[in-house]
Amino acid sequence: MRRLLWKWHGWLGLLAAAPLFIITMTGSILVFKSELEHLLMPEKVLAADDSRQSFTQLLKAADQALPQHEILGWQFAARAGEADKLYVAKQGTYDWQILFVDPSQGNLLSQPVGLSHYLLDWLLELHYTLLADHLGLAVTALISVLLILLSLSGFILHRQFWRTFFTLRWGKSLRLILSDSHKMMGIVGAPLFLILGFTGAWWNIAHILEEWDEIDPKTLAITQSYYNKQLDFNALLTQANQVIPGFEAHYVRFPDKSYPGIHLFGAARDSGALRSDYGSIVSFDDKAGRLTASEDATQADALYQFVDSFRPLHYGHFGGLVSKIIWCVVGFFPSLMALSGYLMWQIRRKPQTRRRTLPTQCKTSKEQVLAR
């Protein structure tokens, strides 16, 4: 049984090696996506100062600056001094685009571009779809499941890992060094691999299931404004804070043909390290601004709270800089393990290749002797 498990572990690793290398490498980079954006394009993601205009003012200014587009989503800056992200679609289409808005002055910091236009957004697309759209989602979901199986099988195979955990046989063969480092990284990273694999598989499988009922984007083309532009959004934010005490909105979803209502996604202040920034929802009628529904993540059922914890667990930002560094470094281990596993497989193949050619060589020699 143990020998069979070794074979399955090896073949699953070879099957997942190439896409797993890409997924974990990009994931490690994206842990610091915000910080990297500050370095690569500060003129787009940084505001003039730490102040903020009212949301109603910002929304009106953006509407006036984008007469050919309809606003579909507004993501508030995570920290003071950063730009807000604005999601729009051009009239006559339903192709989502992104741009940045300075919340301190209300002016646009960029023009609408595709969601994967910027390098880090392109890496994000590569991370969860491998740039292959729905097929890529299915592949990354499968790789996430394989990561779970590899973690479990590796832990079973090395369940007495403490005996040789700190052993690196330097000076021995390359295969032994690769084997020791492969095992060490696997034992250290197994808990995180399970978290990343499970949350990634859950999200992608859920997304795939949603795609079955997806409406043809052509029928969703923007032809008008779908909400009352005279609404006082500051009042809506205030009311949301009263419905869910301490509620802070982080994202506003505006209506379109398939998505009626105005929805504020956020979280109660100091709601916990494993609570996402978008788990609590307060919804309003898009014409009259009347409260229609609310969902407080801290008061929801156990399954809802469990799924709500996936975002901080997957991205690793629940513990500040320390957890992000751990997620970045340990999250890269599967890339190194995919490479070391492939090299070990290649090393094992060489003796087998020599053994297969040896009988032929011996037979040829025997025939030559008899011929003499």
Side-chain angles (χ1 to χ4, degrees), residues 9 146-156 186 189-194:
H9 184 82
L146 292 182
L147 179 59
I148 296 172
L149 296 177
L150 286 167
S151 301
L152 292 175
S153 60
F155 188 79
I156 293 171
L192 180 55
F193 300 163
L194 290 173

Side-chain angles (χ1 to χ4, degrees), residues 146-220:
L146 292 182
L147 179 59
I148 296 172
L149 296 177
L150 286 167
S151 301
L152 292 175
S153 60
F155 188 79
I156 293 171
L157 290 169
H158 299 289
R159 57 187 178 275
Q160 296 181 337
F161 64 90
W162 58 86
R163 294 183 177 181
T164 58
F165 179 62
F166 295 104
T167 302
L168 281 175
R169 287 168 282 187
W170 298 107
K172 302 293 184 179
S173 66
L174 176 61
R175 185 181 68 82
L176 289 176
I177 295 174
L178 290 172
S179 176
D180 290 342
S181 59
H182 187 95
K183 178 180 65 176
M184 185 176 293
M185 287 187 290
I187 295 300
V188 170
L192 180 55
F193 300 163
L194 290 173
I195 292 173
L196 297 178
F198 185 83
T199 54
W202 181 288
W203 282 338
N204 279 22
I205 292 173
H207 196 164
I208 291 169
L209 294 176
E210 290 175 2
E211 297 294 340
W212 290 108
D213 298 325
E214 187 180 48
I215 302 173
D216 185 355
K218 293 181 180 179
T219 65
L220 300 178

Side-chain angles (χ1 to χ4, degrees), residues 220-238:
L220 300 178
I222 301 297
T223 57
Q224 63 181 58
S225 179
Y226 298 91
Y227 69 95
N228 180 5
K229 298 292 181 74
Q230 303 305 315
L231 287 175
D232 183 353
F233 281 85
N234 294 331
L236 299 187
L237 291 172
T238 299

